[in-house]
Amino acid sequence: MADVLLEIEDLEARIGAGPRAVRAVDGVSLRIRRGETYALLGESGCGKSMTALSIMRLLPAPAGRITGGRVLLDGIDLLGLSEARMRAVRGGRIGMIFQEPMTSLNPVLTVGEQIAESVRIHRGLRGGALRGRVLELLDAVGIPDARRRAGEYPHQLSGGMKQRVMIAIALAGEPELLIADEPTTALDVTIQAEVLELLRRLRAETGMALLLITHDLGVVAQTADRVGVMYAGQLVEEAARAPFFADPRHPYSRKLFDSVPTMAKRARPLAVIPGSVPELTATFSGCRFAERCARAWDACRERVPQWHRVADGHGVRCHLYDAALVAGAPGAAVSADAAADADTAAAAPAPEAGGHGPGGADLLRVRDLAVHFPVRSGLFARTRAKVYAVDGVSLAVGVGRTVALVGESGCGKTTVAKAILQLIRPTAGSVRFDGVELTALRGRALRARRRDFQIVFQDPYASMNPRMRVGEIVEEGMAALGLVADRAARRRRVAELLAQVGLSEPALSRYPHEFSGGQRQRICIARALAVDPRLIVCDEPTSALDVSVQAQILNLLKGLQDRLGLSYLFITHNLSVVSYLADEIAVMYLGRIVEHGPVSAVLAAPRHPYTEALLAAVPTLEAGAHRPVIRLEGDPPSPVDPPPGCHFQPRCPRAMPVCRERYPVGTVVGAGHEVRCHLYPGA
Amino acid sequence: MLAYIVRRILYAIPILIGVNVITFALFFAVNTPNDVARMQLGVKRVTPQAIEEWKREHGYDKPLFYNAARSGLARLTDTIFFQKSVRLFAFDFGRSDSGRDIGADIRQRMWPSLAIAVPVFIVGLLTNITMALLIVFFRATYLEVSAVVLTVVMMSISSLFYIIAGQFLIGKLMHLVPISGYSGGLSAFKFLVLPVAVGVISGIGSGTRWYRTIFLEEFGKDYVRTARAKGLSELRVLFRHVLKNGMVPILTGAVVILPLLFTGNLILESFFGIPGLGSYTIDAIQGQDFAIVRSMVFLGSVFYIVGLLLTDISYTLVDPRIRLR
Amino acid sequence: MVKPVFLWTDTLLYVLVAAVAVLVWYVRRHEHLRAPWREVFRNRMGVAAMVVLAAYVTVGLLDSVHFRLPLESSAAGGERYSGQVLSVLDLLLTPLRTHQEETYSAPLATRLYSKETVRLPDGRDVRIYPRLRFGGAQLRDPARDRLPDIERTILRGVGFALLVWGALAAVVILVLARRHRWAPRAALQRVLAGRTDYPVHVALYTAGALILFASVTGHLAVHYHVFGTDKVGQDVFYETLKSIRTGLVIGTLTTLVMLPLAIVLGITAGYFRSWVDDVIQYIYTTLNSIPGVLLIVGAILMLEVYMANHPGDFQTVIARADLRLLFLCIILGITSWTGLCRLLRGEALKLRELDYVQAAQAFGVGHTKILARHILPNVMHIVLITVVLDFSGLVLAEAVLTYVGVGVDPTTYSWGNMINGARLELARDPVVWWSLAAAFLFMFGLVLSANLFADAVRDAFDPRAGGGRRGG
């Protein structure tokens, strides 16, 4: 196997010492060939990042350490190298980029200096040659105007630019292997598409191998040659991309696929993986996934599964593929998974096909909503400029319906949510809830209305007071609004609510930190439900969660809507969630809605060029179905100083002279489908 | 930037007025100008005429805050508070209660104060940063543990002990340097060695610990991981990346006290008999000379506000992320 | 019967002790509050520091129970009491308090430190170092007997200490054994090897060192002046023990004064922003810009004048000195609240944007309730860390301020007064060093243990310091 570049054998890494040590990586073996893209796929806490850091010997000291195994780069064991020789490997033969480009660059050094540093060490260039090489690298990663950018500091660059700079730093040593640890997770989907495209291109140009660490099946489908699936510190499946996407073998891999929300799955609940990842402090006597596996039987709990080759280059760690054991398995061995999905059906009752009925009157009507934040400067701190965070948004949510508000970070969608809830007072416009103008209400009158509309936040870790018990958290709203005066009755109601979101009564007297992310989000939903709201604004409720947990929450939200007739305003950047859950979609760009209409219409035939680009950027699971990415020029403009005419015009591939002159008016292009673009001149 | 500075200077005015109100209220709440006059003239044989005379001479012959006898704006302006404050704002300190020219005193006594405070500041800063860097470089070794323990011990010792022990050991037992008797010129240099050394040593404990915390915090950040992933040596990571980032809070923290160096170090100056502003203040306290104390309060406040402004400006110099608006 | 006397600082100290007791009870019932404290108790340095602090606090509290003894002559009828206010500590230290010499004497000396003219029985006047009235008075020939007697006394002290410590260790180990159902022998082994949940062995060793010190000095103090005597012949050991209370009062009551101000203003400024924030920022910038020492000077001068004009308000010297101490605490509090206030404002600014605060607002929860339920509990760790960190600084500040002349009353026992009084004596030849040494030693002990304790608390409570429990 001369073409093997990196070989990992039985790698073990631990965080901490003694009996409480976490076995973050527990016997991982894999091989990466030259020029190949190997995707390490897994949910949070599965040990994929720790594997990458172990290769670089960069585990967080002194808690983390490698306790066993070998890491061979071209036959040289990296774990045996002296620190000085290892430094030549880091940044030289192996480059690495990280998830958070915002914090991964040194804020007080210019971009050029940070790249030059790496070039100097590994290529030994000085003076003019060094400067030339830095500019070359900036060019190579697609940063325009490299000479100027080299003298800028990281904070002057956008997130996508920063990640490009990170890549340039990693490329400086002309590595044979580039490790990319969730390189696009913190980026918007259009930026993600560009960065992935860049990585693909660089790999083709330089012939380096790429170890891509990700949790996103779509990214894997678009980028990888080979895939390794990690679960609880171990590799559970490994295959080339095509066979893996065609026929994933491990029950965990299958569940991952099934839990991805799509338009096609609208009619039924998503598959979920019950329970949560086991604690890695324990020693396992059986399969690590057995507790959560629908197909587990006695053998899975008693014997540690071995690695089985199921096809050429396709291996699985599962008893289902052990000929000696599979006889004891319930049901047929490899084919059936319909039966296995029985548990998902129980999670929520199946709604009637075709989504929800047309719904009655509009519960919420927002007209020309605007929120401007003043920017003060000058001698007397006068308002010199404004941040046009929300600048004329109109939308309506019908009873029992779900409207998705979609847009990239900074487009103002969260501000819309807070302005609707009157957490931020709008600068202008009207918010009518059930016929009542909310912007006119003050004090007690507004407080009395608050029970009708509630919010679920994005970050389940920040949305609950860590010093309060779950019971107190859930009942806070009831007490504040004086809904249930009697303490005992309130307690009963809280227990009821927790049961409704799938938590048991003992949770009442526990603290938020004792729950996982998904469970916390359930508690937040219970808190919102406590006051019997009619509308719930969900602000990215699943974007901090793993895909299998996301499925649980989506099922729960859908089930609650069917039972209670709730309306949702669902704010998200995730179009697959939209396609699964929403009835209508509104696409936001820089404080305004550029297109809205029924989900089926907009997603199938987007009209606005921005919507088109957004949809094209979403990586799809259909491997090979490689849609061309619509490249958007530059970065999203600042809401302080929106471009003249159509806000999207500087980046629009189809911009016309008129676009620079005035903002387009809305044009109806279908039933309830409206778009604001000069391509569709009004009727 | 300029607009920002002008705005900050304008903002200083209400603060200085507030400071003056507080000092006036404090000093005259219980001690009426009559009491002051009586004390300054000596307790024995004070005639009411002599008191009135003294008050007129020193500008205390008006009501404190509100002059009901006058009309219009003069009700507020023809008062001790207004008259004295306005002069202070023009940095005209007037005469002390015992008749000295405060402005001249300050100008003269400023230099000895600086002669001790500046070296203490610079040497102290360098020493503390060096110590902190060393400790951080030897992270997770016994060297670090013992150095940290040493700093705790050092900061638990009273500054008075450093002074007394220094004077006793170096000055008295070894006769290396004179203990007191400051004079200008070259001989001052030899004399200043001990007070400066004492000043630096008494600050090592807390200073080093503080900087160490700053550097350690920087070490935990993501960009350090990036630097390591580039293949940088630990020394380079420390000096090129961590030190540079750590200097942002260190420098800006140091800048705020820079102007206050003018007002001197009360304890050091008093112990070593240095005729600076610190000992001037102490003498004024012990002599109950309110005019001097008030002037020093005003001066201290001005310097503090200048320090805050310098801090903001120094941020823009060392941290590219910060711009003043 | 004795007549109890409640000084202002006594009362406030009792309130503080009660508050701490309530807090302990509250923390014990809340798991998330207990967890960081458990970390503190697992920190070996922290445990050692706590044992030492406990010793200081015990002495300080004993010195805070004041009363006046009945006069013996009044046994007949109407209750009449001595004008002298004493504390429990004074009673315990009666020999130290009453063994008054003429003037300076060195530690463990039997003769005065300076020559005096003494008339011999035969009528001649000679200048000699006269025998002390109490120090070593039991010895017939001090030159010959002094050292052997001191050695014997020390040995007795060590023996007694071993006895007491052994008993204490036995009790602790037996209690542990009972609680964990270990055999006593196994418990002993575990404790010695440090294989217990909390570092019991560290606590025992520290307590052992303290008991040893107390026992040896205690035995010696009966017949000697362990730390010598001062200018007026007062026992220095007694003075330094009495100074402990002053140090503790300044370190704790000052924070008690500043806390309400700092907390209320800090979190309201950060939470409400707008004009509330502007006003509060103005207040603390103004206060901050006045040099702290000068502000204290002004206030103390004011107090002195007030006291001079109202001599009738103070029945006893001690009450007068006590009021000045209290006032010093108040004024120190007023000058030091700004730092914490600014910290809390910054934290409240961050917290108000957090989702759980927004969620509460979405329910229409009132501002007061949000401040009390969501903001305050989440800044308490900062308050705690600041309070503990400030303590040692305040103890040190007392000495400096007293030196400048604006500290505690000259009649109050304090380390600052001891240093101030003894400073000039360094110029004497030979040097009188013991007052300084005793003051610095006891102050150092308190400040060092407070600093170590503060470190342990910060490591456990500060989320930024969390995670890495490194080093020893």
Side-chain angles (χ1 to χ4, degrees):
Chain A
M1 291 273 258
D3 64 339
V4 171
L5 176 66
L6 184 83
E7 183 167 5
I8 300 177
E9 278 178 17
D10 287 326
L11 183 68
E12 283 179 29
R14 291 186 190 184
I15 309 290
R20 299 287 306 157
V22 175
R23 298 151 195 254
V25 182
D26 203 4
V28 166
S29 302
L30 56 85
R31 288 172 174 182
I32 302 175
R33 296 193 188 85
R34 287 179 198 285
E36 163 183 78
T37 299
Y38 188 103
L40 205 51
L41 175 78
E43 296 185 291
S44 49
C46 71
K48 56 192 192 301
S49 286
M50 287 300 154
T51 307
L53 289 172
S54 300
I55 297 171
M56 294 289 269
R57 284 181 31 194
L58 282 178
L59 286 175
R65 67 210 148 82
I66 298 167
T67 48
R70 297 200 299 168
V71 177
L72 302 171
L73 180 70
D74 256 351
I76 304 162
D77 188 359
L78 297 183
L79 302 185
L81 290 184
S82 70
E83 185 58 28
R85 291 189 59 196
M86 187 63 207
R87 281 204 293 269
V89 174
R90 282 187 210 126
R93 302 190 65 185
I94 307 179
M96 184 160 182
I97 58 178
F98 301 96
Q99 175 174 355
E100 284 290 340
M102 311 297 162
T103 55
S104 292
L105 288 170
N106 189 333
V108 301
L109 294 179
T110 63
V111 164
E113 284 174 308
Q114 300 193 46
I115 301 174
E117 192 173 42
S118 200
V119 177
R120 204 161 37 226
I121 297 172
H122 296 293
R123 296 268 81 84
L125 297 182
R126 295 284 184 276
L130 176 63
R131 272 194 298 279
R133 179 69 184 139
V134 168
L135 297 184
E136 248 176 67
L137 283 166
L138 283 172
D139 267 343
V141 295
I143 291 186
D145 201 2
R147 198 168 292 277
R148 182 170 64 86
R149 290 293 186 188
E152 290 191 337
Y153 290 93
H155 74 276
Q156 293 168 293
L157 306 180
S158 67
M161 286 286 190
K162 280 185 202 154
Q163 197 59 295
R164 285 168 191 269
V165 171
M166 282 296 294
I167 295 172
I169 291 174
L171 288 181
E174 291 163 33
E176 296 155 74
L177 172 67
L178 178 66
I179 302 177
D181 186 359
E182 303 263 12
T184 57
T185 306
L187 305 176
D188 277 323
V189 61
T190 54
I191 312 289
Q192 160 171 302
E194 289 177 38
V195 170
L196 290 179
E197 183 66 42
L198 171 69
L199 287 175
R200 270 196 296 271
R201 179 169 62 81
L202 290 172
R203 187 177 65 99
E205 283 170 15
T206 62
M208 67 182 177
L210 182 63
L211 173 57
L212 182 73
I213 288 155
T214 183
H215 67 280
D216 189 331
L217 275 170
V219 169
V220 176
Q222 300 299 310
T223 322
D225 299 321
R226 288 179 64 75
V227 187
V229 182
M230 273 190 87
Y231 183 80
Q234 283 190 330
L235 212 54
V236 294
E237 180 163 5
E238 189 187 52
R241 179 187 59 195
F244 177 72
F245 277 83
D247 185 14
R249 301 299 184 94
H250 197 282
Y252 174 66
S253 313
R254 293 182 177 208
K255 283 286 189 181
L256 279 185
F257 276 93
D258 293 344
S259 57
V260 175
T262 62
M263 182 82 88
K265 295 178 192 161
R266 281 178 75 96
R268 54 192 162 92
L270 294 167
V272 297
I273 306 177
S276 56
V277 182
E279 295 247 358
L280 294 183
T281 48
T283 45
F284 295 94
S285 55
C287 172
R288 289 162 195 227
F289 188 58
E291 291 306 314
R292 308 174 68 192
C293 185
R295 308 189 56 182
W297 73 99
D298 298 346
C300 297
R301 294 180 193 94
E302 287 154 12
R303 300 175 63 162
V304 175
Q306 297 303 305
W307 190 255
H308 301 284
R309 290 175 68 89
V310 290
D312 191 28
H314 196 158
V316 188
R317 191 184 295 282
C318 179
H319 287 320
L320 282 174
Y321 303 92
D322 190 330
L325 290 170
V326 75
V334 191
S335 64
D337 38 335
D341 283 336
D343 64 308
T344 63
E352 72 275 26
H356 315 285
D362 285 342
L363 186 63
L364 174 78
R365 291 193 72 85
V366 179
R367 277 262 151 264
D368 301 324
L369 185 74
V371 182
H372 300 168
F373 299 110
V375 178
R376 294 177 195 282
S377 65
L379 193 51
F380 296 101
R382 272 190 305 243
T383 305
R384 289 291 172 87
K386 281 177 181 167
V387 180
Y388 296 91
V390 177
D391 194 24
V393 162
S394 302
L395 54 83
V397 183
V399 174
R401 296 190 53 92
T402 302
V403 174
L405 190 58
V406 176
E408 294 183 287
S409 51
C411 74
K413 52 192 193 298
T414 296
T415 313
V416 169
K418 290 188 176 168
I420 289 174
L421 294 174
Q422 306 298 310
L423 291 175
I424 298 174
R425 285 302 183 143
T427 316
S430 124
V431 178
R432 294 185 85 82
F433 185 89
D434 203 14
V436 178
E437 180 59 50
L438 294 185
T439 55
L441 294 184
R442 291 280 179 279
R444 198 177 295 273
L446 177 60
R447 195 171 296 181
R449 279 268 149 198
R450 284 202 177 280
R451 63 170 301 183
D452 285 338
F453 39 91
Q454 278 304 315
I455 183 164
V456 175
F457 293 98
Q458 170 177 4
D459 184 357
Y461 295 86
S463 54
M464 280 185 283
N465 186 341
R467 315 263 171 205
M468 281 164 72
R469 295 170 202 271
V470 167
E472 296 166 329
I473 290 172
V474 175
E475 76 173 1
E476 183 175 32
M478 281 188 273
L481 295 174
L483 296 184
V484 187
D486 175 30
R487 219 193 162 90
R490 218 152 56 204
R491 286 271 136 166
R492 275 199 304 281
R493 173 89 177 107
V494 171
E496 235 174 79
L497 286 162
L498 287 179
Q500 208 164 14
V501 297
L503 288 170
S504 55
E505 183 150 358
L508 254 164
S509 49
R510 286 161 67 191
Y511 287 93
H513 71 261
E514 298 171 59
F515 296 91
S516 69
Q519 288 172 319
R520 288 180 198 214
Q521 208 57 303
R522 287 164 184 271
I523 297 169
C524 289
I525 293 171
R527 171 174 65 182
L529 289 177
V531 294
D532 290 324
R534 295 156 71 191
L535 169 76
I536 296 183
V537 176
C538 304
D539 186 2
E540 307 251 17
T542 60
S543 54
L545 305 176
D546 281 321
V547 60
S548 64
V549 183
Q550 164 175 292
Q552 299 173 5
I553 299 296
L554 293 181
N555 284 345
L556 174 65
L557 287 173
K558 214 164 187 167
L560 287 171
Q561 185 168 50
D562 293 330
R563 248 177 299 160
L564 306 173
L566 293 171
S567 307
Y568 294 132
L569 178 60
F570 201 92
I571 291 167
T572 184
H573 65 275
N574 188 334
L575 284 168
S576 64
V577 170
V578 173
S579 66
Y580 173 73
L581 195 69
D583 302 311
E584 284 164 52
I585 178 172
V587 181
M588 232 180 134
Y589 187 79
L590 208 67
R592 294 186 183 174
I593 289 176
V594 295
E595 180 167 3
H596 86 259
V599 162
S600 49
V602 175
L603 293 189
R607 299 302 184 93
H608 198 283
Y610 176 65
T611 319
E612 284 176 1
L614 208 57
L615 283 173
V618 178
T620 49
L621 288 189
E622 292 85 50
H626 205 101
R627 285 177 304 185
V629 170
I630 301 174
R631 271 208 72 156
L632 297 181
E633 291 297 322
D635 296 316
S638 149
V640 180
D641 183 22
C646 173
H647 291 168
F648 186 58
Q649 139 288 108
R651 302 174 73 197
C652 182
R654 297 163 73 180
M656 303 174 291
V658 65
C659 300
R660 272 180 278 282
E661 283 156 24
R662 56 175 199 276
Y663 200 89
V665 292
T667 310
V668 176
V669 292
H673 188 171
E674 191 178 312
V675 61
R676 295 177 87 174
C677 179
H678 288 301
L679 289 174
Y680 309 94
Chain B
M1 176 88 165
L2 191 69
Y4 177 83
I5 293 173
V6 172
R7 193 165 79 237
R8 285 298 296 262
I9 291 172
L10 290 181
Y11 181 59
I13 293 173
I15 291 179
L16 289 175
I17 292 175
V19 168
N20 266 312
V21 170
I22 292 175
T23 39
F24 265 81
L26 259 184
F27 284 129
F28 291 113
V30 281
N31 284 354
T32 62
N34 285 349
D35 294 336
V36 178
R38 209 170 287 128
M39 200 175 60
Q40 290 298 333
L41 290 170
V43 190
K44 287 175 196 163
R45 283 195 325 204
V46 181
T47 59
Q49 289 95 320
I51 288 179
E52 287 307 313
E53 181 70 19
W54 187 91
K55 276 165 67 180
R56 196 159 45 249
E57 223 170 78
H58 288 84
Y60 288 117
D61 56 342
K62 296 180 177 96
L64 266 184
F65 287 104
Y66 185 75
N67 193 343
R70 305 294 294 264
S71 63
L73 212 60
R75 289 185 177 202
L76 290 177
T77 56
D78 197 24
T79 56
I80 299 180
F81 173 72
F82 189 82
Q83 298 290 337
K84 297 260 168 192
S85 297
V86 165
R87 290 228 183 116
L88 278 182
F89 275 95
F91 290 96
D92 171 9
F93 299 109
R95 301 210 151 260
S96 77
D97 293 344
S98 54
R100 297 178 59 86
D101 179 350
I102 300 179
D105 275 352
I106 289 177
R107 273 189 294 281
Q108 188 202 339
R109 283 173 165 259
M110 200 171 77
W111 302 111
S113 276
L114 285 178
I116 180 157
V118 171
V120 167
F121 173 76
I122 294 175
V123 178
L125 194 65
L126 292 179
T127 317
N128 293 346
I129 291 177
T130 316
M131 297 267 295
L133 280 178
L134 278 175
I135 295 180
V136 170
F137 186 70
F138 291 102
R139 286 191 317 289
T141 64
Y142 276 99
L143 213 63
E144 186 205 18
V145 179
S146 33
V148 169
V149 170
L150 184 70
T151 56
V152 186
V153 169
M154 285 188 77
M155 70 183 272
S156 303
I157 296 174
S158 169
S159 58
L160 296 177
F161 178 82
Y162 289 112
I163 297 177
I164 292 172
Q167 279 190 335
F168 186 70
L169 285 180
I170 315 281
K172 193 163 177 192
L173 287 189
M174 304 187 195
H175 299 288
L176 290 180
V177 291
I179 290 182
S180 61
Y182 176 85
S183 59
L186 269 182
S187 63
F189 183 76
K190 194 175 172 194
F191 172 73
L192 284 176
V193 171
L194 182 58
V196 168
V198 167
V200 169
I201 290 172
S202 59
I204 283 182
S206 52
T208 303
R209 273 168 64 80
W210 181 31
Y211 297 161
R212 167 179 171 264
T213 321
I214 290 175
F215 288 139
L216 276 184
E217 207 177 311
E218 289 298 324
F219 252 109
K221 293 196 173 160
D222 283 354
Y223 71 83
V224 171
R225 192 178 55 184
T226 309
R228 290 204 181 112
K230 277 184 200 175
L232 296 191
S233 66
E234 208 52 11
L235 216 57
R236 269 190 87 83
V237 172
L238 182 64
F239 276 98
R240 194 167 160 76
H241 292 268
V242 171
L243 178 61
K244 208 157 178 180
N245 277 282
M247 283 316 277
V248 174
I250 289 177
L251 273 188
T252 46
V255 161
V256 76
I257 60 163
L258 210 51
L260 286 172
L261 296 181
F262 280 95
T263 55
N265 185 319
L266 293 185
I267 311 298
L268 277 181
E269 288 184 15
S270 153
F271 258 100
F272 288 94
I274 297 165
L277 288 177
S279 51
Y280 188 55
T281 315
I282 291 204
D283 292 346
I285 293 167
Q286 278 153 3
Q288 307 216 332
D289 193 324
F290 297 144
I292 296 180
V293 173
R294 225 162 41 226
S295 302
M296 294 308 293
V297 167
F298 183 78
L299 210 58
S301 313
V302 171
F303 284 142
Y304 176 78
I305 291 163
V306 173
L308 288 184
L309 183 62
L310 286 182
T311 308
D312 287 348
I313 295 173
S314 68
Y315 259 120
T316 61
L317 298 182
V318 291
D319 191 334
R321 284 165 294 185
I322 293 178
R323 269 186 316 141
L324 298 181
R325 275 199 301 261
Chain C
M1 271 304 288
V2 297
K3 179 179 180 182
V5 175
F6 294 103
L7 299 176
W8 270 103
T9 49
D10 289 343
T11 318
L12 286 173
L13 275 182
Y14 301 154
V15 170
L16 193 69
V17 169
V20 168
V22 169
L23 223 67
V24 167
W25 173 80
Y26 185 79
V27 165
R28 282 184 66 91
R29 290 168 44 108
H30 289 77
E31 180 51 35
H32 67 291
L33 297 172
R34 270 174 80 165
W37 278 111
R38 221 175 270 140
E39 281 298 302
V40 176
F41 282 100
R42 289 210 176 101
N43 185 322
R44 279 188 272 166
M45 286 276 197
V47 165
M50 264 186 278
V51 173
V52 178
L53 279 179
Y56 273 98
V57 169
T58 311
V59 173
L61 287 180
L62 286 177
D63 202 9
S64 298
V65 183
H66 288 99
F67 45 77
R68 285 154 66 177
L69 290 176
L71 290 175
E72 283 164 33
S73 58
S74 71
E79 295 272 321
R80 286 185 53 219
Y81 295 96
S82 151
Q84 198 183 15
V85 176
L86 291 176
S87 72
V88 174
L89 184 75
D90 288 328
L91 284 192
L92 291 174
L93 299 180
T94 302
L96 288 180
R97 182 167 56 90
T98 52
H99 288 183
Q100 186 106 6
E101 305 290 350
E102 287 291 323
T103 178
Y104 291 116
S105 70
L108 303 176
T110 55
R111 291 176 180 281
L112 277 184
Y113 196 59
S114 52
K115 277 188 176 168
E116 285 193 5
T117 309
V118 175
R119 174 155 295 178
L120 293 181
D122 57 8
R124 284 181 301 133
D125 286 351
V126 286
R127 284 192 57 79
I128 53 163
Y129 297 103
R131 281 289 295 271
L132 294 179
R133 249 183 272 158
F134 299 98
Q138 84 286 12
L139 303 176
R140 205 170 302 147
D141 180 3
R144 193 193 60 208
D145 298 338
R146 192 176 75 105
L147 282 179
D149 182 57
I150 289 175
E151 277 167 21
R152 272 198 306 278
T153 316
I154 290 178
L155 278 180
R156 271 208 311 278
V158 172
F160 182 72
L162 282 178
L163 224 62
V164 173
W165 184 69
L168 175 77
V171 168
V172 168
I173 288 170
L174 284 178
V175 167
L176 268 181
R178 238 186 115 89
R179 179 179 297 173
H180 293 279
R181 302 181 187 286
W182 295 332
R185 204 185 163 76
L188 176 70
Q189 280 164 354
R190 272 172 175 273
V191 167
L192 285 181
R195 283 185 293 117
T196 41
D197 291 351
Y198 301 101
V200 177
H201 60 302
V202 175
L204 281 179
Y205 293 147
T206 318
L210 285 176
I211 290 170
L212 188 66
F213 177 79
S215 168
V216 169
T217 48
H219 277 84
L220 283 173
V222 177
H223 293 296
Y224 296 93
H225 300 291
V226 183
F227 288 96
T229 54
D230 71 355
K231 191 169 187 171
V232 295
Q234 175 83 264
D235 189 287
V236 171
F237 188 39
Y238 174 71
E239 282 181 35
T240 193
L241 285 177
K242 291 286 282 181
S243 300
I244 289 176
R245 175 175 184 272
T246 310
L248 288 176
V249 165
I250 290 196
T252 53
L253 289 194
T254 301
T255 35
L256 199 68
V257 169
M258 86 170 188
L259 273 190
L261 213 58
I263 292 177
V264 170
L265 293 186
I267 62 176
T268 46
Y271 178 74
F272 289 110
R273 298 201 300 196
S274 74
W275 66 269
V276 179
D277 190 22
D278 290 340
V279 169
I280 291 170
Q281 275 201 68
Y282 170 75
I283 294 175
Y284 75 60
T285 314
T286 305
L287 265 181
N288 231 3
S289 70
I290 301 177
V293 180
L294 296 181
L295 195 63
I296 296 166
V297 167
I300 292 292
L301 289 183
M302 204 179 90
L303 182 75
E304 276 180 352
V305 173
Y306 176 82
M307 285 179 164
N309 293 343
H310 302 81
D313 290 2
F314 311 101
Q315 291 179 325
T316 54
V317 178
I318 199 165
R320 189 191 144 102
D322 180 70
L323 205 71
R324 175 157 172 167
L325 179 62
L326 177 64
F327 202 75
L328 184 66
C329 290
I330 292 174
I331 192 71
L332 274 173
I334 288 175
T335 52
S336 64
W337 64 275
T338 51
L340 179 61
C341 182
R342 189 191 306 216
L343 271 181
L344 293 181
R345 172 182 168 268
E347 194 66 18
L349 270 177
K350 269 185 255 164
L351 288 176
R352 77 187 295 278
E353 298 298 330
L354 280 190
D355 291 345
Y356 59 82
V357 176
Q358 301 261 315
Q361 283 169 350
F363 285 124
V365 178
H367 291 311
T368 342
K369 219 164 188 176
I370 291 184
L371 282 174
R373 286 174 68 127
H374 295 290
I375 309 279
L376 185 64
N378 286 296
V379 299
M380 279 321 271
H381 67 282
I382 298 180
V383 174
L384 180 75
I385 292 170
T386 314
V387 166
V388 194
L389 280 177
D390 279 359
F391 175 83
S392 51
L394 288 165
V395 174
L396 290 175
E398 182 272 329
V400 172
L401 288 175
T402 305
Y403 163 74
V404 178
V406 292
V408 296
D409 193 86
T411 63
T412 306
Y413 289 108
S414 90
W415 291 313
N417 272 332
M418 287 175 73
I419 294 168
N420 204 16
R423 184 171 64 88
L424 297 172
E425 303 302 333
L426 274 180
R428 280 172 77 111
D429 208 23
V431 179
V432 175
W433 50 269
W434 44 88
S435 274
L436 279 177
F440 280 133
L441 186 74
F442 274 77
M443 187 158 62
F444 175 69
L446 178 59
V447 174
L448 180 66
S449 47
N451 276 333
L452 291 175
F453 178 63
D455 270 7
V457 167
R458 197 185 44 195
D459 285 351
F461 281 86
D462 192 346
R464 287 186 309 175
R469 216 182 334 152
R470 298 159 331 99

